[in-house]
Amino acid sequence: MLTGYHWLYVAAVAAVGLASVARTAFYYLLRYFTDDVLGSGTLGSGALGSGTLGSGALGSTTAVSRLPWVALGFIGLALFQGGFSFFSGRWAAETAEGSTRRLRDYLYDHIQRLSFAYHDKTPTGELIQRATSDVDALRRFYADQAIGAGRISLLFLVNFTALLTLNTRLALISVVLIPFVLATSVWFFRKVSQLYEEFQEQEAKLSTTLQENLSGIRVVKAFARQAYEKDKFERDNFERYRRGKRLLIMHAVYWPSTDILVFAQLILGYFVGAVMAINGTITVGTFLAYLGMVSMIAWPLRQLGRLIVDMSTGIVSFGRVVAIIREDREPLDVGQHQPTDPLRGEVRFEQVCFGYEGEGETAVILHDISFHCQPGQVVALIGSTGAGKTSLVNLLPRFYDYSSGSITLDGVELRDYSRRYLRQQMGIVQQEPFLFSRTIRDNILYGVGRSVSDAEVEDAARAAAIHDVILTFPNGYNTLVGEKGVTLSGGQKQRVTLARTLLQNPRILILDDATSSVDMETEAVIREALETLLPGRTTFIIAHRIQTVMAADLILVMDKGRIVQSGAHEELMATQGTYRRIFNLQSQIEDELEQDLARVSG
Ligand code: M5T
Ligand code: MG
């Protein structure tokens, strides 16, 4: 996670260590100043008293003449400490910000490379939460907690060593209760980890609710469900508050409970020290020095415990982020078959079965699908909703992989092609059109890997019967789509995505209900344009209108995941079955419509 920042981080910890050494040296200098320069000798000349700052060099001079040196020493140490603190802070910040920036970039890239199946089962809000809040917890971990823990550990080591040199027995007595402080910290660490995890889960749920309700705001309003959604949100939010409070209380309980231990530790030390001083085992000066020094190890240690507890958030978040990173990416470039010739577009399905991965058992959605189409043919799929038409065409670009049977493209098994190649060769207009909040031109140009002239963009738009509409927008092709620009109608959106796909000039064209929101007249215009564009490319058209599918070379009638009829229009009309029923139904409705129109105008 710190790749590339390891050494900077080590430097940051080292700098903070040097700064804390300088801090301790500061006290030594203070002692030297008090004992040897002022000559009061209050603290005696125990192990600490002399020698720290090479008193030899200063030894022969008078007390007054030493003053400037001591002053210089203080200034030097202050500069030393300040400088190293600064560098430590700077480097730690750079590590934290830099590595989390990279982590965020990586995470985004990783998320967009995960499979369709993963995205089907993972709520968007959950991913947003992990890519933002959890990454931020990691940043805090590196910027404050880890470095703080390093600093305090060093401080403890330096001061404890000093204490050992003062009086070993006293030093050991001063830390007997420390294991309990640490054990308490570990207990709190576990508790807080668990509570924090629950809190993050709830927060992710809340982001999911928020994200979903905002995307679906039109539905919420249309059904006047604001009150219901508000209650739902409030419930989720209250749960978040409850868990957040529990977490904070747990943090709050930490200080007083360790306070008791630390005070007990201090009092024990003071007591034993006092007894030793009274017995004459140690001098009063040493006792006084001890009083100062022991607090320098007890309080930081308690703070260390607190930092360990805080670090739990970073560690939990780390786990949450890693859980995403562990997910396998959808391999884009894996495929044994490296086609050299341009794709012809012959497609053969043989007894293909497929089901979406779900919790537990996978329900079969497509049963024994078999058909064959020559290069350049038009295959139409028609059938009731939920019959599996979208699922069938989704197998072609390998959005999902079929579970049994075989699909071949130009005679090669689909699994042997890389996904990237397939997706480059296939243009798909998806059933639910999606446009980005960019200009119309950018939306049409999306995914076109070559430089394209304006004329080409306009030709594609003309073929999709959207060119004239675009010209009526305030800025024509440069009009922004979405929240900051125009809102397109369903049919307009479909036609923009159609133009986008046509511009891609794919060898295999997949139109999933691409003209369902377009009126019949416009559809006829599109159909005409497509006819001039289609030659040479295999096309799959999913539609509900017979007129759209009539001209296809092969019509597949689907029902409940099976192909119930297949053939060309004339063949299907000649046999009793679903197709003829749909045809008769639709023509009947049209006839009635025409009669109605005739009556109105006549
Ligand atoms: C067929 C299920 C869906 C339905 C069946 C796209 C999709 C579908 N399904 C999933 O479980 N996950 C998915 O991502 O599969 O659905 P379809 O293939 O979308 O049917 P269709 O395209 O023929 O229907 P329509 O309404 O688009 O004409 O049971 O739950
Ligand atoms: Mg569909």
Side-chain angles (χ1 to χ4, degrees), residues 177-395:
L177 287 182
I178 295 303
F180 293 99
V181 178
L182 289 181
T184 316
S185 303
V186 170
W187 185 83
F188 273 99
F189 170 80
R190 290 236 180 95
K191 264 304 206 218
V192 166
S193 298
Q194 190 198 337
L195 291 179
Y196 176 74
E197 184 147 24
E198 284 170 12
F199 174 77
Q200 285 297 83
E201 271 164 21
Q202 184 59 24
E203 192 159 270
K205 195 168 159 203
L206 199 67
S207 339
T208 303
T209 309
L210 186 66
Q211 184 263 337
E212 202 169 86
N213 282 4
L214 290 181
S215 318
I217 187 73
R218 285 169 188 84
V219 182
V220 174
K221 282 180 172 295
F223 286 84
R225 293 290 275 174
Q226 286 94 335
Y228 170 83
E229 295 298 345
K230 176 179 152 262
D231 285 349
K232 184 166 176 289
F233 186 82
E234 270 178 8
R235 267 199 308 279
D236 284 348
N237 197 16
F238 181 78
E239 181 60 23
R240 178 193 177 280
Y241 155 82
R242 208 178 59 83
R243 293 185 186 188
K245 207 168 70 175
R246 275 207 335 233
L247 184 64
L248 283 180
I249 289 173
M250 193 48 83
H251 273 296
V253 171
Y254 176 80
W255 289 125
S257 39
T258 46
D259 269 356
I260 296 168
L261 279 170
V262 171
F263 270 122
Q265 172 67 74
L266 283 175
I267 288 166
L268 180 73
Y270 292 165
F271 182 76
V272 174
V275 171
M276 286 167 90
I278 292 166
N279 289 346
T281 323
I282 55 171
T283 65
V284 177
T286 309
F287 179 60
L288 286 178
Y290 169 74
L291 290 188
M293 306 204 68
V294 74
S295 65
M296 291 271 289
I297 62 167
W299 298 117
L301 221 91
R302 171 171 164 270
Q303 214 142 20
L304 180 66
R306 173 61 197 245
L307 273 172
I308 293 175
V309 173
D310 284 347
M311 273 153 99
S312 62
T313 58
I315 291 166
V316 167
S317 288
F318 179 78
R320 286 167 57 84
V321 169
V322 165
I324 299 183
I325 293 179
R326 284 239 179 84
E327 288 288 334
D328 288 333
R329 293 179 176 203
E330 179 188 55
L332 259 185
D333 294 301
V334 177
Q336 301 151 3
H337 183 61
Q338 299 292 335
T340 41
D341 300 330
L343 198 70
R344 288 180 302 121
E346 182 199 3
V347 178
R348 184 189 291 276
F349 273 60
E350 253 168 70
Q351 302 200 307
V352 173
C353 293
F354 167 73
Y356 293 98
E357 277 172 42
E359 309 276 306
E361 219 174 294
T362 311
V364 181
I365 299 285
L366 295 176
H367 306 264
D368 288 333
I369 303 290
S370 301
F371 68 90
H372 173 234
C373 80
Q374 301 291 348
Q377 279 194 330
V378 177
V379 180
L381 290 101
I382 192 164
S384 51
T385 123
K389 304 178 295 291
T390 300
S391 306
L392 192 153
V393 293
N394 275 351
L395 298 179

Side-chain angles (χ1 to χ4, degrees), residues 411-430:
V412 176
E413 192 66 33
L414 209 59
R415 283 207 184 90
D416 292 340
Y417 289 96
S418 73
R419 289 179 175 81
R420 185 191 298 280
Y421 176 78
L422 291 175
R423 289 171 199 176
Q424 276 164 355
Q425 299 297 318
M426 296 181 190
I428 182 160
V429 177
Q430 279 161 345

